[in-house]
Amino acid sequence: MLIKLAWKSTLNRKASVALTLVTIAISVMLLLSVERVRQDAKSSFANTISGTDLIVGARTGDIQLLLSSVFRIGHANNAVQWQSYEYIKAQRGVAWSIPISLGDSHKGFAVLGTDASYFSHYQYAKKQHLTFAAGRPFHNGQEVVLGAMVAKKLGYQLGQKIVISHGMGNTSFHHHDDNPLVISGILAATGTPVDKTLHVPLSAIESMHSKPSRMVARKQDATHHEHEHEHEHEHEHEHEHDSKNNSALLHNLDSKPGDLIGSTKQITAFLLGFESPLYTLQVRRNINQYKGEPLLAIMPGVTLRELWEMLDIVEKILLLITLAVVLISLLGMLTSLLATLNQRRRELAILRSVGARPWHIFTLLISEAIFITVLGCAFGVALFYTLLIAAQSGLQSQFGVVLSISALSTYELTLLSVIIGAGTLIGAIPAARAYFYSLADGMQIKT
């Protein structure tokens, strides 16, 4: 009976209760969102690379090397000579190696130069290998493999030709028009920066940046330009038909395997995997003391933990801010209950006059506070999932953070329980005041 009375009493004060509900719901949404983004950001970064023992690049900061080579954030200041790479990968205990060359882009997406070992040995999440949604790895220096998001966002299909641009970012000052590449494969989605990357052979990178080859190609283009112009109208219908059937062109490419390395002189970085973890520290020390050129070898797991330690203070500040917002919303509920309590003294006195005891009044008031807090948390959870759905694609495309739309975790449920408990304690303050109101005080309110 008391619970039913508390519910009706709550509904009777729609305006003030609705305002309190909104403030609690927004604070709960912010708290859960900050916590979910924090956890999923850590998970997304940790899942980007797996099974790699060392990342080697030119001597710079550990975190800078990790961010530039794996997450495509920032730029490497120097390069690694190809001779050094060949020497290190031949060391005892090295099971596999993956060269990486960065610096080019295509419509804002990063271009990564590598060789066939990338598709065989690169792993993400819990040692999952890359798989193809369509097509196959590149066979020669005229082919490119797209990440899932590149193909989806740009609408590319197998068999299409694309042009790589020099420089990173959306703005490029030079396009490698003389070296178009044919799409030979599209990788399955991984939820990592791989999805936003175009993968080309190292020989393609070398060819695009070779001045003599560009000059010859441009001369050939100029020689045949007039001939192509004469036949442009004749083949217009044929080109249109081909563009509509790009998805079926892969088996007609008749691509022959070719040199994937070329005369590459330098790369940005390379990944190493060892036959046994025992070799990791020994080879890392040798690389850091390598006399051929200043190099740096990092263990991705250790460096990633250092990165999160640096950001730990930021996480704590965000958590404190959201907790302060929750506390302010609960204090707003306290203010509302105390403000209406003086107006309800006659109501409470009437309840006492019909037999309600002080503990009945206390239970009534604290039940109202619990109702408001629980409803606020429920609306906050609904807003939280709405925000997750709305922000999921944006965070993944811009920052590579994959938000998981799943049930609330144990920790998140614990946070909600703490909020409900705090709301109950705060509701006990006006309930305690009502408890000590006497019947005579309620019947003799001064006007």
Side-chain angles (χ1 to χ4, degrees):
M1 189 65 184
L2 282 174
I3 294 176
K4 184 177 179 180
L5 184 61
W7 176 249
K8 289 186 176 181
S9 177
T10 302
L11 294 179
N12 191 47
R13 297 176 287 109
K14 295 183 180 64
S16 60
V17 169
L19 183 60
T20 304
L21 281 176
V22 169
T23 57
I24 294 177
I26 293 176
S27 63
V28 169
M29 178 197 69
L30 289 175
L31 179 62
L32 293 178
S33 299
V34 168
E35 182 59 27
R36 180 64 64 91
V37 170
R38 184 177 70 87
Q39 293 293 341
D40 287 349
K42 284 187 175 182
S43 177
S44 296
F45 272 69
N47 289 339
T48 297
I49 188 169
S50 175
T52 296
D53 295 313
L54 288 180
I55 300 175
V56 184
R59 190 164 296 172
T60 181
D62 292 20
I63 295 176
Q64 182 181 354
L65 177 59
L66 177 71
L67 294 178
S68 62
S69 61
V70 176
F71 299 102
R72 323 286 191 262
I73 300 176
H75 306 281
N77 295 326
N78 296 303
V80 179
Q81 297 302 313
W82 183 256
Q83 293 86 346
S84 299
Y85 166 69
E86 291 281 349
Y87 173 79
I88 293 172
K89 79 171 187 177
Q91 296 300 302
R92 179 185 177 187
V94 176
W96 54 264
S97 61
I98 302 175
I100 292 175
S101 179
L102 297 167
D104 292 321
S105 65
H106 176 74
K107 297 184 178 180
F109 292 102
V111 173
L112 183 146
T114 185
D115 59 14
S117 61
Y118 181 85
F119 304 106
S120 302
H121 299 295
Y122 188 89
Q123 297 177 348
Y124 66 98
K126 297 180 179 179
K127 295 189 176 181
Q128 297 184 39
H129 289 274
L130 299 175
T131 58
F132 280 81
R136 53 162 174 77
F138 44 65
H139 281 173
N140 52 54
Q142 289 75 47
E143 295 180 343
V144 57
V145 173
L146 307 184
M149 188 175 296
V150 178
K152 181 179 179 181
K153 191 169 183 179
L154 300 181
Y156 287 160
Q157 296 178 346
L158 298 179
Q160 284 185 260
K161 289 186 176 181
I162 62 174
V163 174
I164 304 302
S165 303
H166 183 66
M168 303 294 288
N170 292 310
T171 303
S172 299
F173 298 98
H174 176 72
H175 303 287
H176 301 293
D177 303 292
D178 50 344
N179 292 95
L181 302 177
V182 179
I183 300 173
S184 67
I186 299 174
L187 294 170
T190 64
T192 70
V194 172
D195 297 344
K196 301 185 293 181
T197 304
L198 294 86
H199 308 84
V200 302
L202 288 171
S203 59
I205 297 290
E206 189 273 334
S207 177
M208 286 185 291
H209 294 89
S210 173
K211 291 183 179 180
S213 67
R214 289 204 301 269
M215 293 175 62
V216 171
R218 289 173 182 173
K219 184 177 181 180
Q220 292 175 347
D221 288 343
T223 303
H224 296 287
H225 177 73
E226 184 177 354
H227 177 73
E228 292 177 352
H229 180 72
E230 292 175 356
H231 292 275
E232 183 178 3
H233 181 73
E234 178 182 348
H235 294 285
E236 182 177 1
H237 178 72
E238 181 181 350
H239 291 323
E240 181 179 357
H241 180 268
D242 290 343
S243 64
K244 293 180 179 179
N245 294 278
N246 278 326
S247 60
L249 288 180
L250 181 61
H251 64 280
N252 293 325
L253 290 175
D254 294 330
S255 173
K256 295 182 179 180
D259 184 13
L260 300 179
I261 305 300
S263 57
T264 301
K265 293 185 173 66
Q266 57 185 21
I267 55 177
T268 304
F270 58 94
L271 312 181
L272 292 177
F274 296 98
E275 298 172 356
S276 170
L278 299 176
Y279 291 105
T280 304
L281 294 178
Q282 178 183 351
V283 175
R284 182 190 181 192
R285 182 176 63 254
N286 293 339
I287 292 174
N288 290 335
Q289 296 175 353
Y290 181 63
K291 297 181 179 180
E293 61 177 313
L295 297 178
L296 174 67
I298 63 172
M299 293 185 287
V302 175
T303 306
L304 197 56
R305 284 195 294 272
E306 293 177 359
L307 174 62
W308 291 123
E309 288 176 1
M310 289 179 57
L311 298 177
D312 184 60
I313 184 65
V314 178
E315 294 179 11
K316 290 181 179 179
I317 291 175
L318 286 176
L319 183 61
L320 287 175
I321 291 174
T322 52
L323 288 176
V325 173
V326 173
L327 180 60
I328 291 172
S329 65
L330 293 177
L331 291 177
M333 180 182 71
L334 173 62
T335 303
S336 175
L337 292 176
L338 289 175
T340 57
L341 181 61
N342 200 44
Q343 302 171 2
R344 300 176 62 189
R345 289 173 65 177
R346 187 177 297 278
E347 171 193 341
L348 300 178
I350 293 174
L351 290 175
R352 292 287 301 276
S353 68
V354 296
R357 297 185 177 183
W359 70 269
H360 289 142
I361 303 299
F362 180 87
T363 305
L364 176 66
L365 269 292
I366 203 170
S367 297
E368 293 180 12
I370 293 174
F371 281 147
I372 295 173
T373 308
V374 171
L375 285 175
C377 289
F379 286 128
V381 170
L383 290 175
F384 164 65
Y385 279 107
T386 302
L387 182 63
L388 281 186
I389 295 173
Q392 187 180 37
S393 60
L395 282 177
Q396 182 175 358
S397 61
Q398 297 296 324
F399 304 102
V401 177
V402 182
L403 295 179
S404 58
I405 303 178
S406 57
L408 296 177
S409 65
T410 303
Y411 180 69
E412 291 167 339
L413 290 174
T414 301
L415 290 177
L416 291 179
S417 301
V418 171
I419 294 174
I420 294 174
T424 303
L425 291 176
I426 287 178
I429 298 175
R433 292 191 61 181
Y435 179 88
F436 292 107
Y437 281 160
S438 64
L439 178 61
D441 182 54
M443 298 298 291
Q444 299 177 4
I445 298 176
K446 298 181 180 180
T447 59

